[in-house]
């Protein structure tokens, strides 16, 4: 995607190491990325950690940005960071739960429960939530979602299909499928 | 295929996302810290190597000539001792600025004490990492405007000093408000900690002259406030300067911050900003109109003088450097130009003193503009009606 000239000048300054220019990019894309990470991670502090890492990596890796709108590039980094952050947290949580030091975590749901969408989204896998957030929140096509997550298109289709079925089940909307 | 469930999901995700209303300042700060140069960290290996070489050299010398130990010890002591206080400067009754531009530092402590026998109260700001740039402005009241929020805060006292440190962070153990209750210095309060710019308001018993000293080892900024009748204040405190009116009956120019208007009723709408030169002064006019069905009033405003043309945008926190070497920050409470003002938000009139006038923020009915001046100048403000206007006259040479 081609950049508008003003944004191109900001990116050029960023490439020259101009921190003010970089902060303009943070201002421009930060909120959208943070909201997406929050939808995926379901935790404000984790989302902030992921977006902090996203921008720090972006600052270091500006050389890998081609002459394109940085939005999709930043989103790719943010998705990687969100999933990595979740996995790190999940491993730690599993370890601490084993020793009984950290309770909570994922909410237990009975099969009879009729959850609202927020609780139902908690029950999806991190990969499913990433696909759902990009496709239904960021309005990316299935192909764009696949490119952003660096997985095949069929994998995204499968994740979306499974996620929707699970959400319908959890919210009591499965009859809508018929 | 899209159905109602997918539509509901999409709506829900947007609704949930919008619960995060803004990009947190703390996160922006963490990112900024993360990209800041880390010269010290990079130099650690080199410094360690250099230190090891020095130790080896000293050991060899000591082995060959034991008296060298005394010499080295004496030299090290002289390096580590705090620098002696410089010869006291005279007290002056003007705004001041100093420090090192671009220096980032952390404020670690604030102390205040009376030196009554010497005729002043002393405030000490301790820094870790050098003395950052600072701007000290005097004002005729103890009311200050908090950075970013624009809220007013009134400290103990009848006059004030505003001390701003661009490029400084606040240490966790520094109290937000000190009330030393001294003869001259009544209260010291943090009035801004936003995007690495620290601001302090100092409430004074009365308008007094000040002197500022920069000391090292450890880094300290010392603000001495003269107390009336002090025997050794080099310059006796004088009233704040007042310039005569320039041939009209519009009131005197004063070298102070100004405030006025009222914050009542519905927000006034900015409709025009004009800048022009008149004999003896440059004039900045902000014109307002009431919302439909509302009564016109002059919105509450403050005009704060500052010793640089650098400003911080509200609420983004982005730095803005305007033309000139001095500045005015104009903040209206209960006013906005979002839907009513279609003119330029960055005027560069190149008048004798007013070099640039730019909008700094228009957020939640707090409207901020800045003016870059070619030199520090005295001002007067006028409130006019039909239409409602706030006029700022900046005295020219």
């Amino acid at each position: 995607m081609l950049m508008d000239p003003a944004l191109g000048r900001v990116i050029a300054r960023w490439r020259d190491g101009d921190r003010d220019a970089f902060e303009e990019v943070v201002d421009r894309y930060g909120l959208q990325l943070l909201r997406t990470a929050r939808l995926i991670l379901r935790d404000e502090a984790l989302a902030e950690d992921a977006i902090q890492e996203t921008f720090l990596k972006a600052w270091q890796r500006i050389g890998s940005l081609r002459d394109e709108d940085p939005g999709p590039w930043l989103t790719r980094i943010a998705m990687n960071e969100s999933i990595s952050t979740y996995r790190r947290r999940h491993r730690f949580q599993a370890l601490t739960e084993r020793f009984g030091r950290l309770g909570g975590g994922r909410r237990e749901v009975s099969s009879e429960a009729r959850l609202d969408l927020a609780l139902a989204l908690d029950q999806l896998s991190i990969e499913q939530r990433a696909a759902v957030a990009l496709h239904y929140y960021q309005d990316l096509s299935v192909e764009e979602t696949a490119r952003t997550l660096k997985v095949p298109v069929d994998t995204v289709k499968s994740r979306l299909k499974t996620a929707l079925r699970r959400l319908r089940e959890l919210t009591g909307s499965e009859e809508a499928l018929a | 295929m899209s159905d109602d469930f997918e539509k509901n999901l999409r709506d829900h995700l947007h609704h949930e996302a919008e619960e995060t209303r803004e990009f947190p300042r703390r996160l922006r700060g963490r990112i900024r810290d993360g990209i800041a140069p880390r010269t010290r960290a990079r130099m650690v290996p080199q410094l360690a190597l250099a230190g090891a070489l020095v130790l080896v050299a000293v050991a060899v010398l000591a082995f060959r000539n034991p008296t060298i130990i005394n010499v080295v010890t004496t030299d090290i002591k002289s390096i580590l001792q705090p620098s002696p206080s410089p010869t006291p400067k005279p007290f002056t009754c003007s705004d001041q600025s100093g420090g090192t531009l671009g220096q980032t530092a952390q404020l670690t402590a604030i102390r205040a004490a009376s030196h009554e026998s010497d005729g002043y109260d002393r405030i000490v700001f301790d820094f870790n990492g050098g003395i950052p740039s600072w701007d000290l402005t005097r004002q005729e009241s103890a009311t200050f405007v908090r950075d970013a929020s624009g809220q007013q805060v009134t400290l103990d006292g009848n006059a004030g000093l505003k001390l701003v440190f661009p490029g400084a962070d606040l240490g966790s153990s520094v109290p937000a408000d000190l009330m030393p209750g001294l003869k001259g210095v009544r209260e010291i309060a943090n009035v801004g900690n936003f995007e690495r710019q620290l601001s302090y308001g100092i409430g004074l018993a009365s308008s007094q002259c000040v002197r500022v000293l920069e000391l090292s080892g450890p880094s300290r900024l010392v603000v001495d406030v003269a107390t009336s009748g002090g025997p050794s204040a080099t310059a006796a405190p004088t009233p704040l300067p007042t310039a005569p009116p320039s041939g009209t009956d519009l009131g005197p120019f004063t070298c102070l911050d100004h405030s006025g208007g009222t914050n009542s009723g519905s927000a006034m709408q900015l409709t025009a900003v004009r800048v022009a030169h008149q004999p003896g002064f440059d004039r900045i006019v902000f014109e307002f109109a009431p919302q439909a069905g509302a009564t016109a009033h002059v919105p509450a405003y403050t005009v704060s003088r500052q010793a640089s043309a650098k400003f911080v945008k509200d609420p983004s926190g982005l730095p803005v450097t305007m033309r000139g070497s001095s500045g005015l920050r104009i903040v209206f409470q209960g006013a906005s130009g979002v839907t009513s003002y279609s003119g330029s938000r960055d005027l560069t009139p190149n008048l004798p003193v007013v070099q640039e006038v730019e909008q700094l923020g228009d957020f939640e009915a707090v409207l901020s503009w800045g003016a870059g001046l070619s030199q520090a100048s005295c001002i007067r403000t006028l409130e006019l009606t039909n239409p409602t206007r706030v006029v700022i006259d900046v005295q020219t040479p």
Side-chain angles (χ1 to χ4, degrees), chain A residues 27 42 48 52 136 168, chain B residues 3 6 16 26 30:
Chain A
D27 283 337
R42 323 298 294 162
E48 288 188 11
Q52 179 181 348
Y136 290 104
R168 283 186 163 109
Chain B
D3 57 23
E6 289 180 82
E16 193 176 313
R26 62 177 178 278
R30 282 158 55 187

Side-chain angles (χ1 to χ4, degrees), chain A residues 19 22-23 26-27 30-31 34-35 42 44 48-49 52 55 59 118 136-137 139 164 167-168 171, chain B residues 3 5-6 9-10 12-14 16-17 20 22-24 26-28 30-32 34-35 37 318:
Chain A
R19 285 193 288 275
F22 177 70
E23 289 186 18
V26 174
D27 283 337
L31 181 58
L34 180 64
R35 286 173 165 175
R42 323 298 294 162
E44 189 175 335
E48 288 188 11
D49 286 349
Q52 179 181 348
F55 279 114
W59 169 255
Y136 290 104
Y137 170 61
D139 288 323
L164 283 181
L167 291 173
R168 283 186 163 109
T171 56
Chain B
D3 57 23
F5 183 81
E6 289 180 82
L9 174 61
R10 188 172 274 113
H12 171 84
L13 291 170
H14 280 270
E16 193 176 313
T20 305
E22 61 183 0
F23 197 72
R26 62 177 178 278
L27 180 54
R28 185 183 286 112
R30 282 158 55 187
I31 293 168
R32 178 180 296 140
I35 65 169
L318 291 173

Side-chain angles (χ1 to χ4, degrees), chain B residues 139-142 144 156-161 202-208 240:
Chain B
Q139 59 182 56
E140 67 178 354
S141 80
F144 298 85
D156 188 24
N158 302 302
L161 301 172
I202 301 168
L204 305 179
S206 61
S207 293
Q208 296 292 346
L240 286 162

